[in-house]
Amino acid sequence: MYDICAFGDALIDMFHGDGENTFLANCGGTALNMIVCATRLGLKTTFISKIGDDVMGKRIENSLFENGVDLTGMKKDASFFTTMTFVELNQGERNFSFARQHGADSMIYPEDIDENVINESEIFHYSGMMLTNEPVRSTTFGILKKMHEKGKVICTDISYREKLWENEEKAIEVYREALPYTDLVKASDEEAFLVSGKNNLEEAAQFFIENGCKICIITCGKDGAFWYMDGKCGLVPTFSVKVVDTTGAGDAFWAGFLYKTIKEGGLHEITAQKLPGMVKFGNAVGALNVMHKGGIDGAPQLEDVEKLLVDDN
């Protein structure tokens, strides 16, 4: 039995190296970053995606294995190359250029999915990156509908990347279509405003709840994270740390929040009274992550998170 099964993007982040014409290749992807971080916190995890049968795919496979993530659901396909993203950093903030057209993690078909892995997991997480285009979009909706009918706890991270969508209107339409199948949703403030069409946190969160979600979490960068459940809401401030790279910060936050969800006994044991503490834990995981370059390299161990929380009291 797994705590979390993540279905999502598996790619290589290409960062500028120390030399003018050099790049560093780091394993990444919103779901991949999250699941590695959740594993480091102590959860039993598994990952579903597709990589190319190439040197970059092998790099991803080795990294997940070394970090203790189960790879039963990982597929390798020689017909497609492993997706890459070129990341430009400006004072810690990121700008992406994607090499994803016909990238392996976007060319996932229903027959590529091992549903037994999902059935054996307490939480099924899917990345919003799996909704950007076909065939993976239809594959994702097929899984969501099946797992929703079975009563599986489903969560998502919106993960909007403008350059991967044909237009903004299509993105909004597709994200909204997925909400009725989603119990837990995380979005940045910009993503929440985009999908909801609202311009303040509480109204945006209400939109997600009214469209089928049970809990909405909106991350607000240096201002912390906003939570909404059962008509109650609040903003939990983050921690003051030296920011090196924000890559994977939201993924790390979500790993921390899902860790607390599991430790509290699952979704049905969560109450609005518990959410501020759960969000604070997620904030701590995210804060430790941004102190290092790279989504995976910055993922902290549980003892580091607990120490930060103790020092903050």
Side-chain angles (χ1 to χ4, degrees), residues 18-155:
D18 294 331
E20 183 178 351
N21 297 313
T22 62
F23 282 91
L24 300 176
N26 292 338
C27 299
T30 60
L32 188 148
N33 290 336
M34 186 282 290
I35 207 66
V36 168
C37 188
T39 311
R40 286 194 184 176
L41 293 175
L43 296 184
K44 188 174 182 181
T45 64
T46 187
F47 186 57
I48 296 176
S49 191
K50 183 185 281 189
I51 52 177
D53 189 9
D54 50 40
V55 65
M56 294 304 188
K58 188 65 176 178
R59 192 181 185 97
I60 290 172
E61 187 178 36
N62 289 342
S63 179
L64 287 168
F65 178 79
E66 291 168 1
N67 278 284
V69 179
D70 176 80
L71 298 178
T72 301
M74 175 71 79
K75 299 296 182 181
K76 188 181 295 184
D77 194 332
S79 301
F80 307 104
F81 62 85
T82 300
T83 296
M84 291 191 294
T85 305
F86 293 85
V87 185
E88 184 179 29
L89 296 177
N90 182 15
Q91 297 181 336
E93 294 300 322
R94 305 156 297 159
N95 182 47
F96 299 102
S97 296
F98 291 92
R100 196 176 187 234
Q101 187 173 10
H102 297 109
D105 64 354
S106 69
M107 302 301 293
I108 299 177
Y109 296 87
E111 56 268 28
D112 294 320
I113 304 299
D114 186 344
E115 292 185 16
N116 292 327
V117 173
I118 305 174
N119 291 328
E120 294 172 4
S121 304
E122 183 169 345
I123 293 176
F124 175 61
H125 166 86
Y126 71 97
S127 168
M129 293 279 283
M130 310 312 274
L131 299 173
T132 56
N133 60 286
E134 298 293 354
V136 70
R137 180 188 296 163
S138 292
T139 300
T140 302
F141 273 108
I143 299 169
L144 292 180
K145 291 172 183 178
K146 285 184 181 180
M147 294 303 146
H148 181 71
E149 289 176 358
K150 292 181 178 183
K152 178 66 63 180
V153 175
I154 300 173
C155 69

Side-chain angles (χ1 to χ4, degrees), residues 36-300:
V36 168
C37 188
T39 311
R40 286 194 184 176
L41 293 175
L43 296 184
K44 188 174 182 181
T45 64
T46 187
F47 186 57
I48 296 176
S49 191
K50 183 185 281 189
I51 52 177
D53 189 9
D54 50 40
V55 65
M56 294 304 188
K58 188 65 176 178
R59 192 181 185 97
I60 290 172
E61 187 178 36
N62 289 342
S63 179
L64 287 168
F65 178 79
E66 291 168 1
N67 278 284
V69 179
D70 176 80
L71 298 178
T72 301
M74 175 71 79
K75 299 296 182 181
K76 188 181 295 184
D77 194 332
S79 301
F80 307 104
F81 62 85
T82 300
T83 296
M84 291 191 294
T85 305
F86 293 85
V87 185
E88 184 179 29
L89 296 177
N90 182 15
Q91 297 181 336
E93 294 300 322
R94 305 156 297 159
N95 182 47
F96 299 102
S97 296
F98 291 92
R100 196 176 187 234
Q101 187 173 10
H102 297 109
D105 64 354
S106 69
M107 302 301 293
I108 299 177
Y109 296 87
E111 56 268 28
D112 294 320
I113 304 299
D114 186 344
E115 292 185 16
N116 292 327
V117 173
I118 305 174
N119 291 328
E120 294 172 4
S121 304
E122 183 169 345
I123 293 176
F124 175 61
H125 166 86
Y126 71 97
S127 168
M129 293 279 283
M130 310 312 274
L131 299 173
T132 56
N133 60 286
E134 298 293 354
V136 70
R137 180 188 296 163
S138 292
T139 300
T140 302
F141 273 108
I143 299 169
L144 292 180
K145 291 172 183 178
K146 285 184 181 180
M147 294 303 146
H148 181 71
E149 289 176 358
K150 292 181 178 183
K152 178 66 63 180
V153 175
I154 300 173
C155 69
T156 193
D157 181 347
I158 294 295
S159 302
Y160 176 64
R161 303 289 185 267
E162 180 183 5
K163 294 177 182 178
L164 293 179
W165 290 88
E166 53 193 275
N167 55 59
E168 191 175 274
E169 291 72 24
K170 187 63 178 181
I172 294 170
E173 173 193 334
V174 174
Y175 285 132
R176 289 182 175 182
E177 185 181 348
L179 294 182
Y181 308 106
T182 308
D183 300 297
L184 296 162
V185 62
K186 182 192 86 69
S188 69
D189 47 4
E190 291 181 352
E191 291 168 342
F193 298 153
L194 172 72
V195 176
S196 69
K198 309 298 181 181
N199 58 14
N200 72 66
L201 295 174
E202 185 170 350
E203 289 185 1
Q206 286 176 338
F207 175 88
F208 286 98
I209 301 303
E210 290 168 357
N211 281 273
C213 303
K214 295 178 175 64
I215 298 174
C216 177
I217 306 295
I218 302 176
T219 54
C220 306
K222 61 182 178 58
D223 295 324
F226 181 85
W227 60 269
Y228 190 103
M229 180 184 184
D230 292 339
K232 301 179 179 64
C233 60
L235 180 68
V236 181
T238 191
F239 297 79
S240 179
V241 296
K242 182 180 179 180
V243 177
V244 174
D245 177 15
T246 59
T247 302
D251 309 323
F253 167 88
W254 199 226
F257 185 85
L258 294 182
Y259 171 87
K260 294 298 289 184
T261 300
I262 294 292
K263 295 304 176 181
E264 289 290 343
L267 173 66
H268 303 297
E269 298 299 321
I270 304 303
T271 63
Q273 288 71 29
K274 294 179 180 180
L275 281 177
M278 296 172 65
V279 171
K280 183 176 182 179
F281 186 91
N283 283 343
V285 180
L288 290 168
N289 180 269
V290 302
M291 296 172 68
H292 305 273
K293 181 176 287 189
I296 288 182
D297 291 344

